[in-house]
Amino acid sequence: CSRDLGGKYATLFLGRIHPDGDMEWIRCGHVPPVRIQHDKSIERWEQGSMPVGLLPIAEFEMHTGQLKPGDRFIVVSDGITEAENSLDDLFGEERLETACQCDDAFTNIMEQVANFRGSTAQNDDITLVEVTFTA
């Protein structure tokens, strides 16, 4: 944060899952992750800080959460939520949550984004991580 990057910054999500399901995480301007519980209910972990490199005096706070056996945890970059179609509509958070609610969220999200975009080129990089917690 102390470097002058010419107005550039980065979003970040960093998490550590302990064997008992306790999770420590930090989110810096990144898309809020999605936790899908065994009953398919969705929880978003919204707490977070500003992007890394935006301000040299920024402070970043660690948060905690709990994963239970069978929970899935999905982290995506804004290349997913900001994917555009030919009408300049964004894929968005609601479509992301809907796409997460199947057994193979990774494949479904990628297919849903591609179908949504149609012939419109992808305008940003895509990162997608799906973790299933097993005790």
Side-chain angles (χ1 to χ4, degrees):
C1 290
S2 63
R3 292 184 155 180
D4 181 3
L5 300 175
K8 294 184 180 184
Y9 61 88
T11 66
L12 168 82
F13 179 86
L14 177 66
R16 177 175 32 194
I17 303 170
H18 297 272
D20 63 359
D22 284 343
M23 185 168 177
E24 301 167 305
W25 55 274
I26 187 167
R27 183 179 73 84
C28 302
H30 208 71
V31 176
V34 181
R35 175 183 169 218
I36 301 103
Q37 299 176 59
H38 69 281
D39 65 358
K40 303 269 194 257
S41 62
I42 297 249
E43 178 180 73
R44 299 299 295 268
W45 288 2
E46 302 276 349
Q47 302 93 332
S49 306
M50 67 181 59
V52 175
L54 195 58
L55 296 174
I57 58 168
E59 293 186 18
F60 304 99
E61 186 176 339
M62 185 72 70
H63 301 280
T64 60
Q66 177 69 43
L67 297 177
K68 296 178 182 167
D71 283 358
R72 291 177 295 127
F73 194 76
I74 297 171
V75 180
V76 302
S77 65
D78 62 2
I80 298 272
T81 55
E82 295 177 4
E84 296 180 21
N85 64 14
S86 62
L87 302 173
D88 294 329
D89 294 326
L90 300 179
F91 187 75
E93 303 283 340
E94 188 174 315
R95 285 184 184 91
L96 171 62
E97 289 180 13
T98 300
C100 287
Q101 292 181 314
C102 69
D103 290 335
D104 184 1
F106 184 94
T107 301
N108 193 44
I109 293 167
M110 296 304 285
E111 288 175 354
Q112 293 294 321
V113 168
N115 291 339
F116 175 81
R117 282 189 8 252
S119 62
T120 305
Q122 181 65 35
N123 58 0
D124 197 0
D125 63 290
I126 289 180
T127 302
L128 168 60
V129 176
E130 178 179 11
V131 174
T132 301
F133 178 70
T134 58

